[in-house]
Amino acid sequence: MIKPELLAPAGDLEKLKMAVIYGADAVYLGGESFGLRKASKNFTLKEMKEGIDFAHERDRKVYVTLNIIPHDEDLIGIEEYLKDLRKIKVDGVLVADPGMFVKVRNTIQDMPIHLSTQASATNYETVMFWYNLGVRRIVLARELSLNEIKGIIKRIPEDLEIETFVHGAMCISYSGRCLLSNYMAGRDSNRGGCAHPCRWKYFLMEEERKGQYFPVYEDDKGTFIFNSKDLCMIEHIPELVKAGISSFKIEGRVKSQYYVATVVRSYRMALDEYLKDPNNYVYKPQWLDEIKKASYRDFTTGFYFNKPSGKDQVYTSSSYIRNYDFVGLVLDYDDKTRLATVSQRNRMFVGDEIEIFGPNKDFVTQRIEKMWNEFGEEIEVAPHPEQIVKIEMKQRVEPWDIIRKDRGSDSIG
């Protein structure tokens, strides 16, 4: 039995550090060009180097996405960029397009190449085609069942790794190859500019009855017919490990720092618990409960166990469920005074009931009794973004611990 890699998204430098601290074995990120997530902040080369150094110091890996489906104009400057990636010691790159593969192979021959899910690898012959060209990790298409994944893994060489998505948003188009965004908003999803039209509201109109809109589902306000539930496989860690999957991938480069920490932490705890003693592993519902304290849609297991049906869609809203706010990040703690120095992320009030959690440990609950600003003045509320405050703590906390609160628990506001 192999120990799978837990692979987390890093939309910016802060999220990279959070993913590493909270238990990711590796992160994937995009630079300012050639990747599929223009909506995330992404990385300059300087930021990428800082992130890679941070990860490597902790024995973690960093992969860079080059997974656009490029036109000729999109390949301008790629050779220089690839040489820069090698200089800053990137651990691998993801490609989806044969032309991009050739550019990487001809420019930096020693760089590990991972095949992106955008390449739609769904069968053994396709997997072996890319293996014979030199690819040593394949991110399979999300449209495969667990039995199909196991069938492929049983036949491939030992030095070929299989990566699959285990958590995050699902795309209604095959392996993300969507044309709706380009057609409706002029933004090419296959070149990084997806406008997410799958989350928009749609109506049905008969050709001869212009202006008469018929609900596609049982709701006279319209329906979100393309709006998939989010993938979540945390309840199925044993099946994923036994299948021989090498890397468990979490989606979400445009998600928040808090989301990344929360989801990575739960998967880290579940995976470690299983690997510690597979024969006596017991799934803990609180791992999923914790994930639900970040923003989420209702969950599905995608294609893993059966073909998705209407039950795997959300027809009423495209909004996320968000019951908790990330209100603070612990920067420091003084054992003598029991004061935590905190960077504010959403407003906090004296009297608020808060939860504090960190990597590989359960959360604790307390009330904010006293709070001071950076000038030592006692305050009742911390309203300013990233305001530095000190909070009296009931229990010891550590840097990188996160403070959250129930969204309905403002004591004043």
Side-chain angles (χ1 to χ4, degrees), residues 19 71 77 92 118 136 140 155 171 349 381:
H71 295 222
Q118 293 291 119
R136 289 298 177 265
L140 291 178
R155 300 174 67 189
C171 180
F349 298 88
V381 58

Side-chain angles (χ1 to χ4, degrees), residues 7-23:
L7 177 58
D12 58 33
L13 185 56
E14 193 173 51
K15 294 172 190 176
L16 180 151
K17 292 180 179 180
M18 189 66 78
V20 168
I21 292 295
Y22 275 77

